[in-house]
Amino acid sequence: MGDTETYTVSGPDGDEESFELPAGLVDVLSEQGEPSTRVVTDVVVQAMAQQAHVIAHHSEGEVPEDIAEMNETAAELFEERFGQSLEDALGHSH
């Protein structure tokens, strides 16, 4: 196995989880001068917004109100962070 870099995520309750990524991968994904933590957190925000979208719009049956609200909030946070709507980023809307 090649070299790795460790990142740690802290939750609102104080719990922490560390994970390894291949050394240099974050640098490949970053723009010049962009902090590595920003790149990693961008990926987390993107992934979570996409997962919320899938749960809310591509699941069988009726979506509970709290899930719909989480999806809406995730989409709003995505747009605030990236300056474009999640629907535009995904290439479709509902």
Side-chain angles (χ1 to χ4, degrees):
M1 178 169 29
D3 293 338
T4 62
E5 299 171 332
T6 303
Y7 290 87
T8 302
V9 175
S10 298
D13 296 329
D15 54 327
E16 290 187 350
E17 179 76 27
S18 294
F19 59 97
E20 301 287 321
L21 293 174
L25 177 60
V26 173
D27 293 336
V28 170
L29 299 173
S30 69
E31 296 179 12
Q32 186 173 357
E34 187 176 25
S36 60
T37 53
R38 178 64 184 210
V39 175
V40 172
T41 56
D42 279 353
V43 172
V44 170
V45 172
Q46 290 172 4
M48 296 301 283
Q50 288 174 322
Q51 291 301 311
H53 173 88
V54 168
I55 293 167
H57 294 292
H58 299 278
S59 297
E60 296 283 327
E62 193 69 27
V63 176
E65 183 59 36
D66 62 333
I67 300 295
E69 185 177 332
M70 285 181 222
N71 176 60
E72 184 177 315
T73 300
E76 290 169 0
L77 292 169
F78 181 93
E79 188 165 353
E80 286 176 17
R81 187 165 185 124
F82 299 107
Q84 75 177 96
S85 71
L86 181 60
E87 290 80 14
D88 286 346
L90 294 174
H92 75 275
S93 62
H94 297 272

